[in-house]
Amino acid sequence: MRRLLSLFALCLALVLGAAPSFAADVAHGGQIFSANCAACHMGGGNVVNAERTLKAEALASYLANYDGGHEAAIAYQVTNGKNAMPAFGGKLSEGDIADVAAYVEDMASKGWA
């Protein structure tokens, strides 16, 4: 009986102690994008490399693991950078990066219209 109660207490502690997961804030992501990304990616374009836009087809073709999770692939690119794109992992929080990834995915799904 004591083992059963201990197991129950452990399970309860794990459930109550788990950090809640919140959905990304697309509106906040838009603000982060405007302040940090729009200079190079205005309207989903790319002023440095015209082929590497933020349009859905382009993201699918050059982002690693895009098929495994769009926002995760975008967040990885924002965090770590690649080629001419700087890494923002040291500048933006994980939450900010998740929000901007949600914004980019949302806009890409709408064709940046």
Side-chain angles (χ1 to χ4, degrees):
M1 184 67 165
R2 180 176 282 178
R3 286 182 124 171
L4 184 60
L5 287 175
S6 295
L7 180 61
F8 177 76
L10 176 62
C11 290
L12 186 61
L14 290 173
V15 169
L16 294 178
S21 100
F22 299 101
D25 183 343
V26 174
H28 181 247
Q31 294 170 343
I32 299 296
F33 184 89
S34 292
N36 295 278
C37 314
C40 293
H41 294 291
M42 180 64 74
N46 187 330
V47 299
V48 177
N49 184 342
E51 294 177 5
R52 298 220 177 212
T53 68
L54 300 180
K55 312 272 179 173
E57 313 81 45
L59 292 172
S61 71
Y62 69 79
L63 280 186
N65 301 321
Y66 190 71
D67 291 333
H70 296 189
E71 289 181 28
I74 295 166
Y76 182 86
Q77 179 84 5
V78 173
T79 301
N80 299 293
K82 187 174 182 183
N83 299 326
M85 181 174 164
F88 285 87
K91 181 178 181 182
L92 300 174
S93 71
E94 283 184 39
D96 287 344
I97 291 172
D99 290 349
V100 84
Y103 172 78
V104 168
E105 177 58 27
D106 182 59
M107 294 303 293
S109 72
K110 295 175 181 174
W112 286 88

